[in-house]
Amino acid sequence: MVIGLNHYLILAAALFLTGAAGVLARRNTLIMLMGVEVMLCSVNIVFAAYSRALGDMSGHVFVIMNFAIAAAEAAIGLAILVAIYRIKRSVNADELNSLKE
Amino acid sequence: MEAVLFYLFGALLLGGAIAAMTSRSAVAAAVWLIFAFVNAAGIYALLSAPVLAILQILIYAGAIMVLFLFVVMMLQGPTLKSELKSIGDRKWWLPVGAILVALLNWMRGVNLEGFINDAPAGFGEIKGVAELLLNKYMITFEMISLVLLVAIIGAVALASNKKGMPW
């Protein structure tokens, strides 16, 4: 059996759904951020698969850009979490409701 | 051979991600995610992109997850007890279930054939990536450095103030 573009697309879609379900279901903001990382990783796989299917290496450049975006996102997100923890003493998303009241 | 490796890496990648998203403690989730990202590097290697495979291990499994583990170490050891009770009665599964049904429906009609053409000579090697990065996509490359600079400044400004937010 030969592996083609659609195999990679289905794998990436399943991975994206896993990350999205994690972000939606979990209340621990650390694990929600990890779900965002999983979603970014699935997009990278789509970039690399299309790059391979079209024989054009431009997709690799955008995967590298996405690595940098993911690193920046993790750094900023975790810094915000540290700042929130200093105020609230919690990383539970259910307790971060001060704008609601 | 390629099919065996694809299904092996793909199953381990998905399994690692699912285990990370469902694990109770954040430390276990981070370690599962490192495992998943190493297998994603295997997927990149199958897509004849060795540069991306190496960068995936260095940046994702190395740098980003170590950052996560440091913050987990600083913030929180035990599991959130309220989370385990409240997972069941949330509406999160409605959008995910809808997308899953749509995906399965789409998979029925999809043709699972191989790639039409072989990868051209030198595809995915570091020389070609570097030439694209420094010629055609030079502006993009410079933008990456700008994004990282802003991220450094933002992270320091947000996290260094002991009283909380910097304003």
Side-chain angles (χ1 to χ4, degrees), chain B:
Chain B
M1 185 60 192
E2 195 196 353
V4 174
L5 283 177
F6 173 79
Y7 284 114
L8 179 70
F9 285 134
L12 290 179
L13 169 58
L14 257 186
I18 290 172
M21 290 300 106
T22 54
S23 71
R24 294 189 171 193
S25 84
V27 182
V31 175
W32 273 116
L33 217 53
I34 292 173
F35 175 74
F37 285 152
V38 169
N39 286 298
I43 293 285
Y44 288 133
L46 278 180
L47 282 166
S48 48
V51 180
L52 297 187
I54 292 167
L55 283 179
Q56 170 83 11
I57 291 182
L58 279 180
I59 298 179
Y60 258 105
I64 294 181
M65 294 320 293
V66 166
L67 189 63
F68 264 99
L69 279 174
F70 257 105
V71 175
V72 172
M73 177 189 80
M74 280 200 298
L75 294 192
Q76 189 209 13
T79 317
L80 301 176
K81 290 210 172 56
S82 65
E83 180 175 55
L84 300 175
K85 277 184 290 182
S86 64
I87 272 182
D89 53 47
R90 287 189 186 278
K91 298 284 180 280
W92 62 270
W93 46 266
L94 280 175
V96 173
I99 299 170
L100 195 62
V101 167
L103 182 69
L104 289 175
N105 200 29
W106 175 71
M107 271 170 68
R108 285 191 317 179
V110 86
N111 66 326
L112 293 173
E113 288 170 9
F115 288 117
I116 301 165
N117 39 10
D118 289 335
F123 182 83
E125 286 176 7
I126 194 160
K127 184 162 177 268
V129 178
E131 270 171 8
L132 275 177
L133 207 56
L134 295 178
N135 289 318
K136 192 178 172 190
Y137 293 106
M138 202 188 71
I139 304 287
T140 313
F141 189 59
E142 298 295 333
M143 285 297 160
I144 294 174
S145 64
L146 210 59
V147 165
L148 287 175
L149 178 68
V150 173
I152 292 170
I153 295 172
V156 170
L158 280 167
S160 65
N161 194 329
K162 282 212 166 60
K163 277 180 282 183
M165 294 293 184
W167 48 84

Side-chain angles (χ1 to χ4, degrees), chain A residues 44-61:
Chain A
N44 286 345
I45 290 175
V46 175
F47 265 124
Y50 266 108
S51 196
R52 167 71 181 77
L54 301 174
D56 183 357
M57 279 173 57
S58 296
H60 291 191
V61 175

